[in-house]
Amino acid sequence: MLKYLSRRLLFAIPTLIAISFVLFALLDLAPSDPTGSLPITIPPEVRQEIRESLGLDEPFLIRYVKWMNQFFINEPLNLIDKILDPNDTTPSSRLRVLSWQQRSPVVDLIVERIPQTLWVVGFSYLVGILIALPIGVISAYKQYSWFDQIGTFISMVGFSVPTFFTGILAITIFSVALSWLPSVYDTTHEVTDFSSLWFQIKQMAMPVLVLAFYNAAQLSRFMRASVLENLNLDYVRTARAKGLKDRAILIGHILRNSMIPVVTMIALGVPTIFGGAIVTEQIFRVNGLGALLIDGIQAADIPLVQTLTFVFAVLIVLFNLVADVLYGILDPRIRYS
Amino acid sequence: MKNFLGCVFLAVIGLVLAACSQSPAISETDAQTHGNGATDTETVEDLDTHLNILYWQEPSTLNPFLSGGTKDIEAASMILEPLANYDENAKMVPTLAVEIPSQENGGINDDYTSITWKLRPDVVWSDGTPFTADDVVFTWQYCTHEEFGCSVSNYFTDVESVTAVDPHTVRIVFTRTTPHPYGPFVGSLVPIIQKEQFKDCLGLRAQECTEQNFGPIGTGPFKVKEFRANDVVHYVANESYREEGKPFFRTATIKAGGDATSAARAVLETGEFDYAWNLQVEPEILDNMTKAGKGRILFGFGSLVERIIVNLTNADSSLGPDRRSQYLDGTNPHPFLSELAVRKALSLAIDRSVLVETGYGDGGRPTCNVVVLPEEYYSDANEECKTQDIEGAKKLLDDAGWVPGRDGIREKDGIRLSILYQTSTNSVRQGNQAFIKQMWDQIGVETELRNIDGSVFFGGDAASPDTYYKFFADVQMYTSNFDGEDPTQYLRGWRCSEMPNPDKSWVGSNIPRACSEEYDNLVEKLSMVADREERIEIVKTLNDMVVQNYWEIPLVHRARVSAATNSLMGVELNGWDSELWNVENWHR
Amino acid sequence: MALNVRNEQALHSARIHPSPWMIVWVAIRSHKGALVGAGVFAFIILAVTIGPILYTVDPQVPDVSIRNLSPSLAHPFGTDNLGRDMLAQVLSGGRIAIAVGFTAMVLSLVVGTAVGVLAGYFKWLDGPLMRLTDLFLALPLLPLLLVIIMLFRDTLRAAFGPEMGIFFLIVFVIGITSWMQTARIVRGETLAVKEREFVLAATSVGTSGMRIVFRHILPNILSPVMVSATLGIANAIITESTLSFLGLGFPPDFPTWGRLLFDGANFISITPVRVLWPGLAISLTVLSINYIGDALRDAVDPRVRNE
């Protein structure tokens, strides 16, 4: 197992470098332009100067190597300097990855966005899993019961109706008609006491539920299908024949064996938490990583989008590895050598 | 495993119970905290002195010279000030200057090659140090540094030097006669920054000065307390602001994100915010929201004109990249749009009042001119286009030999009147597109619609086929305008030499690819003539040449549309400058 | 579903049993939910194919005098903010939505299942294929779309006309950006199934790899594939709406369900029914396919049938 892990981790490095190259090439090819949202009165010649000041006239490979250097060498070295001597405020001579929209270090921007992303997107994911798993299991165990039928109906509607609609619907009901919940998320709010915690819960309620509803719908379908699959397997019959109670079989055997697709789904999902939830974040103005990404894309901010998607790629590779390890634990017959 | 499942079930039950018990609690507390629009517990008590503004496009920096859009410039305009601003009637009002220089008061020399500004002596920066002429000179040096890429460097193209005559007098010398010398340092696009703060940020170093760019020291009514790029700006009042007792608000916030409709909702329906910026939304949605009685819609008319630009060169996709949409000395005309009768018929067939009613409401007026304001420049010669004339358009086409074919689409010599009509993605524009398609259908012109993401359409990526510069379509629609009250630069855009082509990386402002020697000569004259009456006449003539040749088909004179809560007073929505130009006067 | 069923047909051609269509029919008939689902689905297909012929109002023509109307006899589903008839739009929008939804789903399912099975079964393919999946998962959708559209739109438009060209483009784009989840899930399941006794037995008697994949692996991983298929259709319909909104999809006056839902959302407090119709249409389609899928899975799952 250890050998497998270290081999995979080693193999991840060339993979990630290849991914970073493809990402950079893609972003470079994309037709968006950093001067696209300047007022139309700014003449074309000035726009050209701005593009040059961003280094857009340099050849593609040079820009890619520059980014590599800034991200893989300068950023970690600056971080080490900072840790070794936290009082030193003189700016480092090593250039960090700077975004084009803000002209500020991309890594700082990302760090700034993490709290609200975890609060809203991460929490909603957790809620989604907690809702989906029991619903999926019960729906399968009592297939075609009323519980199953209602669960199926709700989750299918939940998946068919996208968050851009449920979000606006929730605001219309809870903010406009009832004025119970704020429709705009305050990212600078700090939880210090009970009343501020209460405010935090209120402002999280709508985005979290809207997202959780969507995630749960999908996950519960996979859970249900997987449990159903296992209900008919030989070992279940054997266990039944041995006289084990249904519940014991369900929890002791079936659930464990049904987790493989669910583990896959969750492993695919955790990185997306860091990718943010673009639509939901926009509707409720959560301004997390998803909003940062979409702003960056629209402003053709290549350093920002490149860094953000690369971090995202690292997480994907990492969590897919975690999933593979979990497969082995859930089903000892799966061997990696 | 058993335990795990048990935990899951317990957790779910707990959540459900919590949800049930929460709802009544929310309704109890909402009366105290939420109903009055507070978004932060700490601001609940000072609600009367806190101003909550919503910009749905996100301010990315507070340094307007590095700006990527209006949002940055306006967020910075609460902190930084120019020498003079434009008021809501496009008149200049002194801000950091004592008065507006003119030849009468000796501020402008006889041959219009220099302008001298007298600065207010009582102004201090928010850090307490005095504001002097050196700061103005430095701002010029900062923006014109060659490696910098200043977003408003065009304001300084004709500037030879900016010098400090004394600590409170600045002289700007131009390289040529400049009848309208008010470009540099007028309007919130070109404010003054502090020399002391930015002196180490010249040229390429500007990018690394994050601290300065995110927290500029200014002379304006507010200063930055906290800035989170693309998310939120917290301001506090500048205690050393030159006007006693102002600003009336002690703190302010600009929150960003989302879209225009939800921004309108947060002011008009939920009342969470005091002011929302740039609401290009269908008028009935805004009207419906105002029924909640919490706020009002504001309109500020400036020089914005929504128009259709006609491609006078051949944009056929079968042409190679070396010919498509290029003028090539007139050898590559459009197969049918190069005919004046066709262009005129397209304009006559449009019912502009329908476009206004469905897309703009009170925020728009039908127009037939490309220069609509200030009023003295308005030409009365083109009013007939305001009434739709389908029959007249048909007759025009008939007379020109374009006759309906079997499918009702007009054709001549095997060429069909079939148009590719592109614009940026925006629900109001797509609505207008649908109506115009139907109107053109009535005169036998076939239209294919296309919408393109704004970041691509308005971008200048020379590799993209979809920019408005490249214009790989027959007609396209967008809004254009000019800064300040002088349209000279804007009118210079239609000169022959301004056509985009591959040699210039497809940049240039003569988008219709029109070329007229007469126009070029007249526009050169405009740059030299100082007499006001004569300038007005030339502007009108140039406007008439653009619209009567149907290089562009003006549709709607658009206002800026914003929303304010009922209790917010002192807002004067300005179509010529930052919407926050007089934020020091805002109060409850 | 037709295309998908043909796949199943291919999968089972090696086996000796009654025609697959027969099995499908038997499965649906014996399954109450599936019967209702099939009925609703047939109705939707009928409505969007024949509907526009019977209800001849042009969905693209705006009329300023009848804007934002509630349902009435003249306009059974009401009108939108440009005065276009909603019923006509929902009917003609359904054609595209269903066509896009199905083709994109089938494409993504075929690619996803193939990659997943190959990676799961053949160890030497696992590494490269899964790293490819990682790459696709990491690609940001929007720039990818912008690039694809930029590179191929004009060529396809010239070859197939503006609407068909865009159709191929959209199906391709949605298909190649949504197969990764299916691939990961199928691979996980394959890893587990291939260690089961019957596969080991088949291997030990010298059955070829391909044969094992088709006869033993695929039938046993069908459940998650079916779920992916159902969710894939909904996903494709919604993604298409986002594409249209961004100006990357069909021409703006071309209604599709996803786009109708998107455009209607802002008018929710003026004409609430306007979002109801497309929302209902998408949900019903997905729901009915889900029930048919359930029955199909029961029908082809070897264990269930043996009982």
Side-chain angles (χ1 to χ4, degrees):
Chain A
M1 196 65 184
L2 208 64
K3 204 175 140 207
Y4 172 75
L5 259 180
S6 49
R7 209 190 58 206
R8 275 284 296 271
L9 282 174
L10 213 64
F11 196 59
I13 294 170
T15 310
L16 284 171
I17 290 177
I19 289 180
S20 81
F21 183 79
V22 173
L23 286 174
F24 205 88
L26 178 76
L27 295 176
D28 186 63
L29 259 178
S32 313
D33 185 82
T35 64
S37 56
L38 279 174
I40 203 161
T41 51
I42 305 287
E45 297 77 24
V46 176
R47 290 167 197 257
Q48 196 60 30
E49 281 168 26
I50 295 175
R51 276 193 285 273
E52 278 164 23
S53 78
L54 296 172
L56 257 172
D57 51 341
E58 286 181 73
F60 166 75
L61 272 178
I62 291 184
R63 282 183 288 133
Y64 176 62
V65 171
K66 270 190 178 170
W67 176 82
M68 295 263 283
N69 176 43
Q70 287 166 2
F71 186 78
F72 290 110
I73 298 169
N74 293 357
E75 287 285 352
L77 284 179
N78 283 344
L79 189 69
I80 291 168
D81 281 359
K82 193 108 187 179
I83 292 167
L84 291 180
D85 187 6
N87 299 325
D88 182 18
T89 50
T90 51
S92 158
S93 58
R94 288 182 291 265
L95 196 59
R96 303 179 65 182
V97 185
L98 293 176
S99 81
W100 287 351
Q101 291 172 86
Q102 295 88 357
R103 320 283 176 117
S104 98
V106 169
V107 176
D108 294 356
L109 291 171
I110 295 177
V111 169
E112 195 174 85
R113 297 292 179 113
I114 288 179
Q116 58 260 39
T117 312
L118 286 182
W119 270 112
V120 173
V121 188
F123 195 69
S124 74
Y125 205 72
L126 208 65
V127 173
I129 294 175
L130 290 181
I131 297 174
L133 293 192
I135 289 183
V137 173
I138 299 173
S139 291
Y141 188 60
K142 303 206 183 275
Q143 197 188 6
Y144 304 131
S145 66
W146 62 268
F147 185 94
D148 181 28
Q149 302 290 10
I150 293 176
T152 303
F153 184 79
I154 293 180
S155 57
M156 281 298 142
V157 172
F159 196 74
S160 312
V161 180
T163 45
F164 67 70
F165 175 69
T166 40
I168 292 176
L169 187 71
I171 288 180
T172 319
I173 297 174
F174 294 108
S175 296
V176 176
L178 301 171
S179 52
W180 285 358
L181 301 169
S183 72
V184 177
Y185 187 94
D186 179 7
T187 47
T188 51
H189 178 74
E190 278 170 26
V191 178
T192 50
D193 54 5
F194 185 74
S195 75
S196 59
L197 175 70
W198 182 237
F199 181 80
Q200 178 64 20
I201 293 174
K202 274 171 50 174
Q203 70 169 356
M204 276 168 63
M206 279 196 295
V208 165
L209 287 182
V210 162
L211 263 181
F213 183 47
Y214 185 75
N215 287 335
Q218 194 175 358
L219 204 55
S220 71
R221 295 315 294 167
F222 278 107
M223 190 72 215
R224 176 180 178 273
S226 188
V227 172
L228 269 181
E229 180 95 329
N230 276 278
L231 276 175
N232 294 314
L233 288 185
D234 295 338
Y235 72 86
V236 177
R237 279 185 240 159
T238 317
R240 270 205 193 109
K242 280 198 316 199
L244 278 179
K245 287 231 169 63
D246 271 9
R247 181 158 304 166
I249 303 172
L250 182 69
I251 294 168
H253 296 88
I254 298 177
L255 205 60
R256 181 183 177 134
N257 285 298
S258 317
M259 288 301 277
I260 284 184
V262 178
V263 163
T264 315
M265 287 294 300
I266 295 177
L268 284 174
V270 172
T272 60
I273 294 174
F274 292 88
I278 291 173
V279 176
T280 315
E281 283 185 21
Q282 277 223 321
I283 292 176
F284 297 100
R285 295 186 166 77
V286 178
N287 295 346
L289 290 170
L292 188 66
L293 179 69
I294 194 81
D295 285 348
I297 290 174
Q298 275 166 352
D301 189 344
I302 295 181
L304 176 79
V305 180
Q306 168 76 9
T307 310
L308 208 53
T309 45
F310 183 72
V311 172
F312 188 51
V314 173
L315 289 172
I316 288 171
V317 171
L318 211 64
F319 275 91
N320 282 347
L321 179 59
V322 170
D324 280 346
V325 172
L326 281 179
Y327 291 165
I329 295 171
L330 286 170
D331 190 343
R333 284 174 298 186
I334 298 178
R335 284 174 317 235
Y336 303 103
S337 50
Chain B
M1 210 61 208
K2 228 176 240 177
N3 286 342
F4 167 72
L5 198 73
C7 286
V8 169
F9 275 116
L10 272 180
V12 171
I13 291 165
L15 266 172
V16 171
L17 284 179
C20 296
S21 61
Q22 262 170 26
S23 7
I26 293 170
S27 53
E28 276 159 32
T29 42
D30 99 284
Q32 296 129 37
T33 55
H34 189 69
N36 46 22
T39 56
D40 194 340
T41 41
E42 73 175 353
T43 58
V44 170
E45 57 277 9
D46 48 27
L47 193 75
D48 282 344
T49 58
H50 183 77
L51 173 65
N52 254 324
I53 304 175
L54 196 55
Y55 268 52
W56 57 271
Q57 285 184 4
E58 300 86 350
S60 320
T61 177
L62 292 176
N63 182 344
F65 301 108
L66 284 171
S67 127
T70 315
K71 64 214 167 81
D72 306 328
I73 294 158
E74 302 219 342
S77 74
M78 289 179 57
I79 307 157
L80 299 170
E81 292 177 311
L83 297 181
N85 280 100
Y86 291 100
D87 71 4
E88 69 273 22
N89 300 315
K91 289 280 162 294
M92 274 177 283
V93 286
T95 308
L96 291 175
V98 176
E99 59 183 0
I100 303 295
S102 63
Q103 281 197 322
E104 289 76 56
N105 65 24
I108 298 176
N109 70 350
D110 289 341
D111 56 355
Y112 289 92
T113 51
S114 84
I115 182 168
T116 308
W117 291 87
K118 291 240 172 289
L119 310 182
R120 292 178 65 137
D122 54 338
V123 179
V124 290
W125 295 98
S126 60
D127 63 358
T129 57
F131 161 75
T132 68
D134 280 344
D135 294 308
V136 183
V137 175
F138 174 78
T139 304
W140 167 66
Q141 288 162 344
Y142 178 79
C143 182
T144 50
H145 193 284
E146 18 179 284
E147 288 167 326
F148 176 39
C150 177
S151 65
V152 286
S153 56
N154 55 309
Y155 279 75
F156 299 105
T157 338
D158 294 336
V159 173
E160 188 180 280
S161 68
V162 178
T163 43
V165 178
D166 65 53
H168 296 291
T169 312
V170 176
R171 174 173 300 136
I172 304 170
V173 179
F174 296 91
T175 51
R176 44 183 252 153
T177 307
T178 309
H180 184 88
Y182 303 108
F185 311 119
V186 179
S188 38
L189 275 169
V190 213
I192 315 293
I193 53 173
Q194 194 192 29
K195 179 178 183 180
E196 185 56 29
Q197 191 189 17
F198 280 90
K199 63 175 190 276
D200 295 327
C201 298
L202 285 166
L204 281 179
R205 297 231 49 172
Q207 318 217 10
E208 295 164 51
C209 289
T210 308
E211 201 184 309
Q212 287 86 340
N213 297 336
F214 282 7
I217 292 169
T219 54
F222 288 93
K223 54 186 187 183
V224 195
K225 182 179 149 213
E226 186 184 5
F227 177 70
R228 293 194 180 188
N230 288 38
D231 180 16
V232 65
V233 198
H234 287 304
Y235 301 89
V236 290
N238 173 7
E239 307 87 46
S240 22
Y241 187 58
R242 60 182 177 277
E243 284 184 66
E244 202 61 46
K246 286 184 181 178
F248 296 119
F249 285 104
R250 302 316 298 162
T251 50
T253 299
I254 293 184
K255 170 78 181 175
D259 61 314
T261 314
S262 63
R265 190 178 293 121
V267 171
L268 299 172
E269 286 196 313
T270 69
E272 288 166 271
F273 280 80
D274 296 315
Y275 188 82
W277 161 89
N278 190 7
L279 308 174
Q280 200 194 0
V281 180
E282 282 81 355
E284 61 263 44
I285 296 183
L286 291 181
D287 288 348
N288 193 52
M289 285 179 179
T290 48
K291 283 186 198 145
K294 292 197 167 150
R296 62 192 192 276
I297 318 261
L298 306 163
F299 302 105
F301 281 92
S303 55
L304 294 168
V305 175
E306 181 88 5
R307 78 279 304 277
I308 288 177
I309 292 90
V310 180
N311 195 342
L312 298 170
T313 59
N314 197 347
D316 195 326
S317 59
S318 63
L319 292 178
D322 52 328
R323 292 191 67 80
R324 194 173 181 190
S325 286
Q326 286 182 58
Y327 183 64
L328 304 173
D329 295 323
T331 58
N332 191 30
H334 193 280
F336 53 87
L337 288 176
S338 50
E339 258 183 60
L340 181 68
V342 176
R343 303 200 295 270
K344 189 172 179 186
L346 292 180
S347 174
L348 281 179
I350 296 172
D351 185 350
R352 290 164 173 78
S353 61
V354 166
L355 307 183
V356 169
E357 185 191 336
T358 57
Y360 299 92
D362 294 335
R365 303 162 182 158
T367 190
C368 306
N369 285 329
V370 288
V371 179
V372 281
L373 275 180
E375 262 160 39
E376 61 260 35
Y377 291 127
Y378 190 87
S379 161
D380 301 321
N382 312 300
E383 292 306 291
E384 82 277 14
C385 92
K386 284 184 182 169
T387 36
Q388 186 190 29
D389 185 3
I390 296 279
E391 291 314 312
K394 281 184 181 168
K395 186 167 181 311
L396 217 54
L397 291 174
D398 286 337
D399 293 349
W402 294 93
V403 288
R406 206 174 298 152
D407 55 355
I409 306 303
R410 286 174 193 267
E411 51 188 39
K412 180 165 84 175
D413 309 329
I415 300 170
R416 282 159 51 86
L417 291 186
S418 177
I419 289 178
L420 176 60
Y421 175 10
Q422 70 181 14
T423 187
S424 73
T425 301
N426 169 318
S427 64
V428 171
R429 289 212 167 105
Q430 266 75 76
N432 277 348
Q433 267 187 314
F435 276 111
I436 291 174
K437 175 178 175 168
Q438 182 218 10
M439 292 161 188
W440 285 349
D441 190 54
Q442 289 177 31
I443 59 166
V445 175
E446 179 185 58
T447 316
E448 180 193 333
L449 303 183
R450 174 179 292 170
N451 57 327
I452 298 161
D453 188 67
S455 71
V456 177
F457 188 64
F458 293 115
D461 186 344
S464 165
D466 288 333
T467 64
Y468 81 100
Y469 296 114
K470 262 199 183 163
F471 203 173
F472 283 180
D474 301 309
V475 298
Q476 61 186 356
M477 177 170 76
Y478 57 79
T479 287
S480 189
N481 68 322
F482 50 91
D483 286 326
E485 54 98 37
D486 179 59
T488 309
Q489 272 306 321
Y490 171 70
L491 290 166
R492 285 169 70 88
W494 283 283
R495 286 175 300 161
C496 300
S497 56
E498 289 298 309
M499 278 185 244
N501 62 45
D503 300 337
K504 295 198 287 183
S505 322
W506 288 101
V507 296
S509 42
N510 185 352
I511 309 296
R513 285 101 165 116
C515 189
S516 150
E517 205 180 316
E518 193 192 346
Y519 186 92
D520 279 16
N521 293 338
L522 198 56
V523 96
E524 273 322 308
K525 196 173 162 200
L526 179 66
S527 319
M528 309 305 289
V529 170
D531 178 60
R532 184 138 186 100
E533 291 308 313
E534 199 181 347
R535 288 180 65 80
I536 289 173
E537 275 320 302
I538 296 176
V539 168
K540 284 185 182 175
T541 315
L542 290 170
N543 168 76
D544 292 349
M545 288 171 82
V546 172
V547 300
Q548 288 170 8
N549 280 313
Y550 299 93
W551 296 340
E552 305 201 353
I553 303 175
L555 301 173
V556 179
H557 179 198
R558 283 176 54 181
R560 286 183 177 176
V561 183
S562 293
T565 194
N566 281 334
S567 64
L568 186 66
M569 300 300 174
V571 183
E572 284 179 66
L573 183 45
N574 183 332
W576 304 95
D577 208 323
S578 166
E579 292 190 15
L580 306 172
W581 69 292
N582 68 342
V583 68
E584 70 272 14
N585 294 330
W586 292 15
H587 62 95
R588 269 187 223 286
Chain C
M1 213 64 209
L3 271 171
N4 202 28
V5 169
R6 235 169 276 144
N7 278 335
E8 310 298 345
Q9 211 169 342
L11 299 186
H12 302 298
S13 55
R15 254 187 273 172
I16 303 156
H17 55 61
S19 110
W21 288 108
M22 204 55 201
I23 295 179
V24 170
W25 173 235
V26 171
I28 288 178
R29 219 180 36 190
S30 59
H31 199 293
K32 216 191 290 169
L35 210 57
V36 177
V40 171
F41 190 63
F43 173 76
I44 292 173
I45 295 285
L46 217 63
V48 300
T49 45
I50 303 180
I53 302 169
L54 299 177
Y55 189 77
T56 51
V57 178
D58 188 332
Q60 295 184 345
V61 172
D63 183 346
V64 74
S65 63
I66 51 163
R67 302 165 53 214
N68 296 318
L69 293 186
S70 298
S72 64
L73 266 183
H75 303 282
F77 279 14
T79 59
D80 71 2
N81 63 312
L82 304 179
R84 294 179 292 205
D85 184 89
M86 281 308 291
L87 175 57
Q89 292 198 70
V90 170
L91 290 177
S92 93
R95 284 186 178 185
I96 304 161
I98 291 181
V100 168
F102 267 100
T103 0
M105 176 272 285
V106 169
L107 182 64
S108 112
L109 212 60
V110 169
V111 176
T113 313
V115 170
V117 169
L118 292 178
Y121 191 78
F122 300 105
K123 196 157 267 165
W124 59 278
L125 278 174
D126 190 24
L129 282 180
M130 281 302 107
R131 299 300 77 79
L132 185 75
T133 314
D134 288 345
L135 169 64
F136 269 87
L137 279 169
L139 288 181
L141 192 62
L142 201 56
L144 181 70
L145 290 171
L146 290 172
V147 169
I148 294 179
I149 302 265
M150 178 180 87
L151 295 178
F152 302 114
R153 190 193 53 211
D154 281 351
T155 333
L156 285 170
R157 182 171 173 267
F160 302 104
E163 276 132 31
M164 268 323 260
I166 289 285
F167 177 80
F168 285 128
L169 202 65
I170 287 181
V171 164
F172 174 72
V173 161
I174 299 177
I176 64 147
T177 53
S178 61
W179 56 269
M180 294 81 75
Q181 189 177 326
T182 316
R184 292 280 323 177
I185 289 172
V186 166
R187 168 178 170 272
E189 286 274 283
T190 309
L191 283 176
V193 170
K194 85 169 178 194
E195 303 297 339
R196 295 240 184 95
E197 299 76 6
F198 58 91
V199 179
L200 296 177
T203 319
S204 65
V205 297
T207 319
S208 78
M210 272 300 154
R211 216 172 142 78
I212 292 179
V213 165
F214 280 105
R215 281 196 60 167
H216 300 293
I217 308 268
L218 276 177
N220 279 291
I221 55 165
L222 214 63
S223 283
V225 174
M226 277 296 168
V227 178
S228 289
T230 337
L231 298 179
I233 290 182
N235 184 46
I237 293 177
I238 301 300
T239 312
E240 188 279 318
S241 75
T242 321
L243 297 191
S244 305
F245 174 73
L246 291 168
L248 305 173
F250 290 98
D253 56 339
F254 219 73
T256 68
W257 283 348
R259 194 184 171 81
L260 291 177
L261 189 64
F262 203 109
D263 290 348
N266 277 338
F267 288 82
I268 189 166
S269 32
I270 299 176
T271 44
V273 285
R274 196 178 146 182
V275 282
L276 183 70
W277 306 123
L280 205 65
I282 300 174
S283 302
L284 278 180
T285 310
V286 175
L287 209 57
S288 61
I289 291 167
N290 175 64
Y291 279 115
I292 301 172
D294 267 4
L296 273 183
R297 195 205 50 234
D298 290 355
V300 286
D301 187 324
R303 290 176 306 272
V304 176
R305 204 171 53 248
N306 290 345
E307 276 175 7

